[in-house]
Amino acid sequence: MATLKDIAKSLNLSVSTVSRSLNDHPSISQKTKDLVNAEIKRVNYSPNSIAKSLSENKSYTITLFVDIDDEQSYQNPFFYEIMHGIEKFVYLNEYNLVIANMKTKIRKQSVLEWLINSKRTDGLILPSAVVDDELVNILNQKKIPFVSIGEPKISKTDVNWVDVDNYRGAYEATDYLVNHSGNQVAFVGFSEDKLFSQKRLNGYLDAMKNNLLKLDNELIIKCDHTKEAGYHAVKQLLKDVSHVDAILCGDDNLCVGAIKAIKEMDMKIPKDITLISFDNEYIAKLSYPEISTINVDMYALGYQSAKLLFDQIDQNILKKQNVLIDTKMVLRETTY
């Protein structure tokens, strides 16, 4: 039976070029794809993934870990955008993507131990919330390639991670609000235990400082990222602070609650107060008024996470890499 090597040799191409042609990779020209497809038909090539994995001592499987009890993440459309990005890159590299619940036990072992000991996976993609020093030590000792989705809040620096540029997004939004709405800009939705939230707070603080504005702790509001939390937090803010020109919201769910509170206080948006939020373009467009946002590309976050993982698996890149995904400010009806 013909192999990829045979096809590559007959066409004077590399095995990787043939492989990418089979997966319709955009980097391969249509002319090359046509040549590969014609040769495959001529030699009646049929891939045997089991034999391939045994001969090369690989599982050809990537594992995405999730916490099945984290219902909020499953309800967030971002989860599926991230997963779509991961699956796209995994597919283009002829691997399978498996989703595993971190709390599963298999033969009295954790699913992580079982996957490693039975060599059922070639690499792991993990949510930053589960990445700690102990886990990093285990994976490094076992030489298991892994990538964190989000910058992990740990002491170790030898971790590959991909995250949104939360600092830059918050800085850009705050700077815009200061220069178009006024000096009294509040940041609503700060979470002390979330590193991404701390990055956003730092961006907010630096933008205020660089605009020569006094930092007022009354304008920094801690609350959950829910509609109800946003409603109560902003209603209390507007009662406690004599004047607020603008609000940077932690996400769009929170911002929808903020809009409700502002309307109940007989204030007009954006005439009396302007808002910019983070994250979900879908909710932002459905809201009335439509919400100005700092958009984040979750598909790119997933795609780049998988790419970083394959840098370790296929190219054996040992140097730790960190990638920040750019944000984009989209102005709608909650700003001028």
Side-chain angles (χ1 to χ4, degrees):
M1 183 181 291
T3 66
L4 282 184
K5 283 187 178 180
D6 296 330
I7 294 169
K9 185 177 180 180
S10 67
L11 296 174
N12 198 25
L13 298 171
S14 68
V15 174
S16 62
T17 297
V18 173
S19 175
R20 282 172 167 76
S21 295
L22 288 173
N23 287 288
D24 198 26
H25 196 283
S27 67
I28 306 299
S29 70
Q30 190 58 49
K31 181 180 178 181
T32 301
K33 292 175 184 176
D34 291 341
L35 286 173
V36 171
N37 288 330
E39 184 67 8
I40 284 171
K41 289 179 181 178
R42 188 184 74 79
V43 300
N44 195 28
Y45 169 76
S46 178
N48 186 331
S49 59
I50 296 175
K52 185 179 179 184
S53 65
L54 288 172
S55 65
E56 298 183 15
N57 196 28
K58 288 185 177 182
S59 68
Y60 286 90
T61 298
I62 299 303
T63 303
L64 170 63
F65 272 114
V66 297
D67 181 356
I68 203 70
D69 294 329
D70 184 5
E71 295 181 7
Q72 189 173 0
S73 291
Y74 278 96
Q75 292 168 1
N76 192 328
F78 281 175
F79 172 78
Y80 300 99
E81 290 182 41
I82 293 170
M83 192 166 66
H84 182 202
I86 294 171
E87 172 60 25
K88 182 67 174 181
F89 196 90
V90 169
Y91 159 75
L92 291 174
N93 284 271
E94 294 189 293
Y95 273 64
N96 296 309
L97 177 66
V98 172
I99 299 175
N101 175 24
M102 292 206 69
K103 296 182 179 178
T104 298
K105 293 284 184 181
I106 300 176
R107 296 176 183 176
K108 298 182 180 180
Q109 300 179 91
S110 72
V111 67
L112 178 61
E113 292 172 320
W114 180 78
L115 285 167
I116 293 173
N117 294 335
S118 60
K119 297 183 179 179
R120 299 294 180 105
T121 191
D122 293 327
L124 307 173
I125 299 178
L126 307 154
S128 60
V130 306
V131 178
D132 56 26
D133 291 327
E134 181 182 0
L135 178 59
V136 171
N137 282 333
I138 292 171
L139 296 176
N140 284 338
Q141 287 170 7
K142 298 285 187 178
K143 296 183 179 179
I144 303 297
F146 70 98
V147 172
S148 171
I149 298 179
E151 181 180 355
K153 196 175 182 179
I154 59 175
S155 60
K156 288 186 174 294
T157 57
D158 57 340
V159 175
N160 288 293
W161 54 261
V162 181
D163 205 349
V164 172
D165 196 343
N166 289 290
Y167 173 89
R168 180 179 173 184
Y171 186 100
E172 183 181 3
T174 306
D175 188 65
Y176 180 89
L177 291 171
V178 168
N179 286 285
H180 290 81
S181 301
N183 296 344
Q184 290 288 93
V185 178
F187 176 46
V188 177
F190 174 54
S191 302
E192 281 183 314
D193 60 332
K194 306 290 185 184
L195 185 58
F196 76 85
S197 189
Q198 185 63 57
K199 298 281 186 181
R200 291 177 183 180
L201 177 64
N202 291 342
Y204 162 84
L205 293 172
D206 283 352
M208 296 289 282
K209 189 186 303 181
N210 290 342
N211 278 283
L212 305 179
L213 297 176
K214 180 183 176 182
L215 302 180
D216 186 349
N217 288 332
E218 280 192 315
L219 295 175
I220 301 171
I221 309 300
K222 300 175 187 176
C223 71
D224 294 332
H225 288 196
T226 65
K227 177 182 175 181
E228 293 73 21
Y231 169 79
H232 292 295
V234 171
K235 196 152 194 179
Q236 193 62 48
L237 169 69
L238 296 177
K239 288 178 180 178
D240 294 343
V241 179
S242 59
H243 180 70
V244 177
D245 294 308
I247 299 174
L248 174 60
C249 294
D251 74 3
D252 290 339
N253 284 321
L254 186 160
C255 195
V256 170
I259 289 172
K260 180 182 177 183
I262 291 167
K263 288 179 177 178
E264 286 187 5
M265 301 290 284
D266 291 326
M267 300 176 74
K268 305 294 183 184
I269 303 171
K271 181 182 177 181
D272 299 321
I273 190 166
T274 59
L275 301 98
I276 295 180
S277 179
F278 267 88
D279 297 344
N280 194 335
E281 187 178 0
Y282 179 71
I283 294 176
K285 287 181 177 179
L286 288 179
S287 172
Y288 180 77
E290 291 187 6
I291 303 170
S292 296
T293 58
I294 297 296
N295 280 6
V296 295
D297 191 342
M298 292 293 108
Y299 174 88
L301 184 66
Y303 192 91
Q304 291 298 324
S305 297
K307 183 179 183 302
L308 215 58
L309 186 62
F310 276 86
D311 283 347
Q312 300 172 68
I313 295 171
D314 284 347
Q315 300 180 37
N316 200 29
I317 296 177
L318 300 178
K319 180 182 177 182
K320 299 304 178 183
Q321 302 177 74
N322 306 138
V323 177
L324 286 175
I325 305 296
D326 287 340
T327 59
K328 179 183 178 182
M329 185 160 63
V330 179
L331 301 178
R332 298 190 181 92
E333 295 174 347
T334 58
T335 50
Y336 290 108

